[in-house]
Structures are given as C-alpha cells and as structure tokens.
Amino acid sequence: MNVDQTLATFPSAGIGVNTAVYDANMNGPAIPGLLSHAGVKAMRYPGGSYADIYHWKTNTADGGVVAPNTDFDAFMATAKAADAQPIITADYGSGTPEEAADWVKYANVTKHYGVKYWEIGNEIPGNGEYGAAWETDLHASHSATTYANNLLQFASAMKAVDPTVKIGAVLCVPGSWPDGIVGPGDTADWNDTVLSIAGSKIDFVIVHYYPGGSSAADMLAKPQAQVPGMMSAVHSLVDKWAGSHARDVGIAITETNSTIDSDTSPAGLFAADDYLTLMENGAFNVDWWDMHNGTDCSKVTTVEGAQDYDDGGFLSSGAPCEPPVNTPFAPYYGIAMVSKLGSAGDRLVRANSSNPLLITHAVRRGNGDVNVMLINEDPNTSATVSLSYSGFSPCPVTPTVYSYAKNGTSVTKARTGSVTSQIVPPYAIAVVRLHR
C-alpha cells in the first residue's frame, strides 16, 4: 500500500443508514446504542419513496402507514442520542416549497436541531416520465426540466429560512436506466437537464446504488468494477454544469444495498467494500437501505450455512421467521468494520492486492498510524496476506486486529499475526491497526 497517495478524506457523515416512518422499531431504546456501536454517523429520514407522500406537520403519509413514535421529533431524539447527522428528504412528490421551508424553520429555527442536509425528493426519475412509475409525483409535468425548476424554488424557499442548509438534487446512476433517455419536453437526459438548470444552485447530488448481480460472487465484484467509473461520471457531470461552484458540490449515496443474500456473509462483505469504495471515490455520505426493512418470510434460504431471510435491513424486523427484533444481520457488522478502519478526518489511502478475491482498503490516521482492511471474498479458502508499505514503517509489534468472521455474531478484537503477515479466514473481514 502507498500511504502517501491520498484518495479522499474519511467524511464525518460517511457511515449512514436509512430510517422509515412505517418502522415501529426505528426509535426503540436499543437503537442509539446499536447505531453508535456500528459507527453510524448519519440517519436518513423519512424513508425512500415514503418521503414523497409524507407530510411532516401532520405526521401522515398519503395512502401509507405511519407507525407510532416515528414523527420528526422522535427521529431527532434518536439521531441526537446516536450522535448521527440527520439527512432529511423533503416531500417533492406531494408537497410544496413552502411545506419544506416550514420544516427547515421548525427544525433549525424553532428547535435548533441544526439539520444540514436536505434532499429534494427521492427517486424522482421513477415518476413515470420514462415509463416506470413507482415514485409519487403530483406535478402536472414529470419532466426533468420541471423537476429542476421546482428544485430551484425549493432551494430558494428553504435557504431563505436558513442559508446554511445544504440542498441536494436527485440524479440517476450514470450508465443505468434512465440515463441517456431524453424525456418528453426535454432536450437532454435527466442528469444533464437537471444540472444544466440547477447545478450552480445546489450543494450536493444524490445517487442510489443497487448493483445486484447474478450470484454472490458477481455482486461482490461490483463495487470494485463499477464504483470508480460511476463516481467519475458523476464528478464529470458536476464539473460540466456547476462551473466554479463544482468543487463545493458533494455526492451522497443515500440508498445502497447488496440485494443478494441480504442478511448473510456475502452482504456483510459487500457492505464494507461498498462504503469504502464509494468514499474513496468522493462520496461524503453512504446510507444502507434499511435499518429495519422486513420480510414476508417467503424467500428464506441457506447461504454458507446461515439462514437468509431476504430482509434488506441491517437489523432484524422481528418477522416470524427471523431472530428477535434488532438482532444484527451481516451488513451491520460489515458497516461496523468500516468504523474500525477509520473515522472523520482520516485519509483514505491507496491499497492494492494481487489476489482478486482479497479486497484491501487503508487509512492514514491523524497521528500517522495506519489501519488496513482485508476482505477475503473466497467462501472456502483462507487468505495468507503479505503486507508491504510505501511511505510508512510500522512498529514491529504484534498488531491489534479487529475481525468479523463468516456467520459471526460480533466483531472480535485480538493481537495476532505480524505487521507483514496476516491470515484472513474464508468470507471474513480483518482490520489491522499498525503504529509508527
């Protein structure tokens, strides 16, 4: 690894998770501790497509279910207790700029919550403009041009209340549907249209990343294969349309998930690599979908000796086929391992592996120490890893190693191996902490 080659700075809101107002367990007494233990520093609210039907003043969702104790103040109490930054999705689909501005006023003027990040709508390109319609959008026009012009109205109204808030615009994944399609009434595709109109007035852009795959192995390969190109394309779009303001426009991945083997070891490995690869390529926030997602128990399978419930949450929802509510699933531990690697202000640095099934990440801490993550994506064979360094000479004492093993139910800590050699079991993650 080359510890002098900085890729990015570990962001303060980098490790995030989605919450949803239909989740009766989202503000339970155990949640702040669980989130803190995993290193979660951001919480997105009020929940995916629900955001475009949710009205914060009345704590209601048009045609949807809002669980008890999930209103904005209850959410904020949990976020504060967990020391997590809130990321709020304003209701674009069925709301107004005035409603969003009132939310900002209540949050930051009345209650002094200091909510910094505000998305304008969820997955708005899914409003039917390109054929598929899952996202509520009650505007007469569903075009990218309409969204961009309305986005400017939202931003103006919200910043009039609190000029310090950061406003985010919804994009689609470059190279994936509906990128490249020009909708009726537009002269360019969604991303170019939105940014050509609003790029100079927004503070961040939003992409959701669900790579899927044909198998666990295919899914595990996606972050390394797709994320650098995807993020480079987003950076290029911002550079193209935001001009001198481009350096100030961030990228948030406010939804991501493996969608394959959701609750078992492959998803845990994916989560760790996914978060870190996205952050290395410039994401200031990555949010797992979801804290509790739930399952109908119709697709329970066995994956590498463990039950997978097809539940996209990182904590059990307590469905009849599942372990007790709030039992952590593998992605929870994968995300916790990210927090063992680094924290806000650390430098994410270059790390490489000659083994395609051994994924590596590294940080340089503020005190000069180096932490290395080793992810063994081979389900059957341990990886014997030889470590070498450029720009760093580790103290030759037995290092502290944090580990998450296949089908594990905790992150363990031990002194093991050496500064030049480590053994990582099959489907396991290790974080090796090295001192100068």
Side-chain angles (χ1 to χ4, degrees):
M1 73 196 68
N2 186 345
V3 302
D4 291 327
Q5 188 174 354
T6 300
L7 303 175
T9 300
F10 201 110
S12 62
I15 304 176
V17 66
N18 277 270
T19 58
V21 292
Y22 51 77
D23 174 15
N25 299 306
M26 69 176 283
N27 295 311
I31 296 302
L34 284 163
L35 297 182
S36 296
H37 188 71
V40 170
K41 292 297 183 183
M43 295 175 66
R44 183 178 183 240
Y45 176 92
S49 293
Y50 253 62
D52 283 311
I53 61 172
Y54 180 71
H55 303 287
W56 72 272
K57 286 184 180 179
T58 57
N59 190 37
T60 58
D62 300 334
V65 175
V66 175
N69 193 40
T70 60
D71 61 74
F72 178 57
D73 286 315
F75 162 78
M76 283 303 308
T78 298
K80 292 288 187 181
D83 192 27
Q85 296 188 51
I87 297 176
I88 304 300
T89 309
D91 180 358
Y92 174 83
S94 63
T96 65
E98 292 74 24
E99 181 182 40
D102 286 346
W103 200 350
V104 172
K105 183 177 180 180
Y106 179 78
N108 292 354
V109 179
T110 303
K111 301 293 287 190
H112 304 287
Y113 286 145
V115 179
K116 182 177 182 180
Y117 298 110
W118 298 80
E119 300 177 87
I120 308 305
N122 182 53
E123 295 172 347
I124 305 303
N127 61 8
E129 184 71 357
Y130 304 100
W134 68 85
E135 198 73 19
T136 297
D137 185 353
L138 301 184
H139 297 90
S141 167
H142 293 171
S143 71
T145 298
T146 297
Y147 172 71
N149 287 323
N150 287 332
L151 169 65
L152 293 178
Q153 294 182 38
F154 273 77
S156 177
M158 296 163 79
K159 291 199 173 195
V161 174
D162 181 355
T164 69
V165 297
K166 304 296 184 183
I167 302 298
V170 175
L171 301 185
C172 55
V173 177
S176 298
W177 182 95
D179 188 42
I181 301 173
V182 178
D186 293 326
T187 58
D189 65 2
W190 182 274
N191 289 351
D192 281 295
T193 299
V194 169
L195 290 178
S196 67
I197 295 169
S200 64
K201 300 294 184 181
I202 58 172
D203 302 292
F204 64 102
V205 296
I206 301 140
V207 174
H208 291 174
Y209 181 58
Y210 291 97
S214 59
S215 65
D218 185 36
M219 174 265 292
L220 287 170
K222 296 292 189 184
Q224 297 293 315
Q226 293 181 341
V227 166
M230 177 187 81
M231 294 293 286
S232 177
V234 176
H235 284 294
S236 294
L237 283 163
V238 171
D239 289 343
K240 178 180 179 181
W241 294 116
S244 60
H245 175 59
R247 70 186 65 184
D248 300 318
V249 178
I251 302 174
I253 312 298
T254 58
E255 289 185 23
T256 190
N257 194 294
S258 67
T259 70
I260 291 178
D261 300 337
S262 301
D263 315 310
T264 43
S265 293
L269 305 183
F270 170 86
D273 188 31
D274 184 38
Y275 273 65
L276 286 165
T277 307
L278 286 163
M279 289 192 285
E280 287 166 354
N281 285 275
F284 76 86
N285 167 249
V286 184
D287 302 319
W288 191 258
W289 184 271
D290 195 6
M291 183 195 296
H292 303 98
N293 191 69
T295 178
D296 62 8
C297 295
S298 66
K299 298 178 181 178
V300 179
T301 56
T302 300
V303 177
E304 294 296 323
Q307 279 195 306
D308 193 285
Y309 307 97
D310 192 39
D311 184 334
F314 74 11
L315 299 175
S316 170
S317 64
C321 60
E322 292 186 329
V325 65
N326 291 332
T327 300
F329 291 138
Y332 173 90
Y333 294 114
I335 292 166
M337 291 297 287
V338 175
S339 72
K340 298 302 183 187
L341 180 72
S343 57
D346 291 343
R347 291 189 294 117
L348 291 152
V349 298
R350 178 72 64 188
N352 299 301
S353 170
S354 59
N355 178 353
L357 294 181
L358 181 75
I359 307 302
T360 57
H361 300 278
V363 301
R364 186 78 180 254
R365 306 300 304 273
N367 63 2
D369 289 350
V370 169
N371 295 341
V372 183
M373 177 179 285
L374 308 170
I375 306 174
N376 184 5
E377 295 183 347
D378 190 320
N380 302 309
T381 305
S382 294
T384 300
V385 185
S386 297
L387 298 168
S388 61
Y389 313 90
S390 174
F392 177 70
S393 297
C395 178
V397 298
T398 302
T400 297
V401 179
Y402 289 87
S403 300
Y404 178 62
K406 181 166 68 173
N407 302 335
T409 57
S410 66
V411 172
T412 61
K413 176 184 177 182
R415 288 188 174 274
T416 186
S418 72
V419 298
T420 58
S421 181
Q422 291 287 328
I423 296 175
V424 186
Y427 261 14
I429 308 172
V431 169
V432 184
R433 293 192 167 183
L434 305 157
H435 300 290
R436 292 185 297 168

